[in-house]
Amino acid sequence: MMAAPVAGQAAAARPPASAIAASGVRKVYSTASGPVEAVAEASFEIAQGEFVSILGPSGCGKSTLMLMVAGLEATTAGAITVDGMPVTGPQIEAGMMFQDPTLLPWRSVLDNVLFPVFMSRTVTPEDRARAEQLLRMVDLWPFRDKRPRELSGGMRQRVALARALIQDPGILLMDEPFSALDAITRDEMGLSLARIWDSSRKTAIFITHSIREAIFLSDRILVMGRRPSTIIEDVRVPFPRPRRPEVEADPAFNALYLHLKASIHRSPPLQ
Ligand SMILES: Nc1ncnc2c1ncn2[C@@H]1O[C@H](COP(=O)(O)OP(=O)(O)OP(=O)(O)O)[C@@H](O)[C@H]1O
Ligand SMILES: [Mg+2]
């Protein structure tokens, strides 16, 4: 999101939700102690407006996969496309959220939300109107003039969510955005995200270690296996939208939870 604009990637050229496709994607990092294969092979398609979570054991390559979709890491082999166009550099239209909200401490909440626009061009009154709309949506408009240190962890992540949406991105990429929050705040954030996502229906990739969070939020869940990492499951989540907290009481929710849990903990095949 804070990446420099790339020539030829005009924001206006994209519809408000984009399709993502990965075909035979592999990633090998070169390190001082030799090559590390972070992703062995990943192929998937995500339709426009689909919310897809990625689950998998620590170190299986989830973040690496997302960084390749964002164009922030190059693929070693295979190809990723967004709306049919190969990803060859940073996707400036991608809204991103990480575990750490990475807000600028000396800027107000409002200016943090506007920061990606500020980095790419002159901020217009329309941008300010959109920032206001987003801050109202995340219930932070009364806090617009505060500095990040004056906010709670959950509020900071809501600023990060508004910032991720400020340029009306075609895709929303979230890497464990709620992992550092306490359980109650985390549940509230899940509900907020579900509500906000319902109103925008952005194509979303959401990485989490919480199986329940993934089921609650997603249309589909991909499970990555231990290294050599590939996608070992692609499961459709059958519950209607808008999602209500009561869905967790549905026996089908629990059945899916147990199925995914077994899948994540499945031992790697003996070599
Ligand atoms: N920049 C890098 N340079 C070298 N190796 C890396 C780099 N980033 C990740 N790796 C390695 O690639 C593998 C996959 O890492 P990655 O961060 O993608 O996993 P992850 O599934 O996101 O894990 P977690 O759930 O703990 O966040 C790991 O073995 C990691 O050590
Ligand atoms: Mg990660």
Side-chain angles (χ1 to χ4, degrees):
M1 184 190 57
M2 289 194 204
V6 174
Q9 288 191 335
R14 290 267 170 81
S18 302
I20 303 168
S23 160
V25 169
R26 178 166 189 250
K27 178 68 182 184
V28 180
Y29 288 109
S30 306
T31 72
S33 53
V36 174
E37 187 184 51
V39 177
E41 200 279 336
S43 300
F44 57 84
E45 287 183 10
I46 300 178
Q48 275 186 9
E50 203 171 24
F51 193 116
V52 174
S53 286
I54 302 179
L55 290 168
S58 187
C60 73
K62 302 179 297 296
S63 296
T64 300
L65 192 58
M66 202 185 91
L67 289 172
M68 290 191 286
V69 172
L72 297 172
E73 282 287 354
T75 57
T76 306
I80 296 175
T81 60
V82 173
D83 287 336
M85 309 244 294
V87 173
T88 54
Q91 297 282 296
I92 55 165
E93 296 89 354
M96 300 191 73
M97 277 181 86
F98 298 95
Q99 188 169 335
D100 183 336
T102 60
L103 303 177
L104 297 171
W106 61 90
R107 282 186 177 249
S108 68
V109 163
L110 179 62
D111 284 349
N112 266 286
V113 171
L114 283 166
F115 189 69
V117 182
F118 175 79
M119 285 299 284
S120 54
R121 56 176 173 77
T122 308
V123 173
T124 64
E126 289 74 29
D127 296 320
R128 291 190 174 279
R130 179 163 173 80
E132 174 176 348
Q133 181 204 359
L134 287 167
L135 280 172
R136 287 188 190 282
M137 197 160 71
V138 296
D139 300 322
L140 284 180
W141 182 240
F143 298 88
R144 60 192 172 277
D145 295 325
K146 302 276 187 214
R147 298 287 176 272
R149 68 170 177 278
E150 298 173 87
L151 307 181
S152 70
M155 291 161 96
R156 282 184 212 146
Q157 276 300 19
R158 281 190 272 146
V159 177
L161 177 57
R163 182 184 58 188
L165 293 168
I166 188 69
Q167 290 180 300
D168 201 16
I171 55 180
L172 193 53
L173 303 175
M174 295 167 280
D175 191 352
E176 301 195 46
F178 309 147
S179 293
L181 305 175
D182 65 89
I184 294 171
T185 308
R186 186 170 182 156
D187 277 354
E188 286 170 2
M189 287 299 296
L191 285 169
S192 297
L193 179 60
R195 175 174 56 84
I196 290 162
W197 182 83
D198 259 319
S199 64
S200 62
R201 298 279 169 138
K202 300 285 178 202
T203 309
I205 297 180
F206 185 85
I207 297 173
T208 179
H209 283 282
S210 165
I211 301 171
R212 292 187 174 277
E213 195 172 74
I215 301 173
F216 181 73
L217 288 167
S218 311
D219 297 309
R220 256 170 74 211
I221 298 174
L222 306 179
V223 180
M224 286 178 78
R226 263 177 239 282
R227 293 194 290 145
S229 56
T230 57
I231 292 168
I232 58 170
E233 284 258 15
D234 183 343
V235 181
R236 191 156 289 283
V237 181
F239 308 112
R241 293 192 183 272
R243 295 274 159 85
R244 309 242 178 262
E246 303 80 74
V247 72
E248 289 207 39
D250 189 323
F253 190 104
N254 219 35
L256 187 53
Y257 169 82
L258 293 172
H259 172 81
L260 289 165
K261 190 169 172 177
S263 177
I264 293 164
H265 293 287
R266 198 177 297 150
S267 301
L270 292 171
Q271 303 275 318

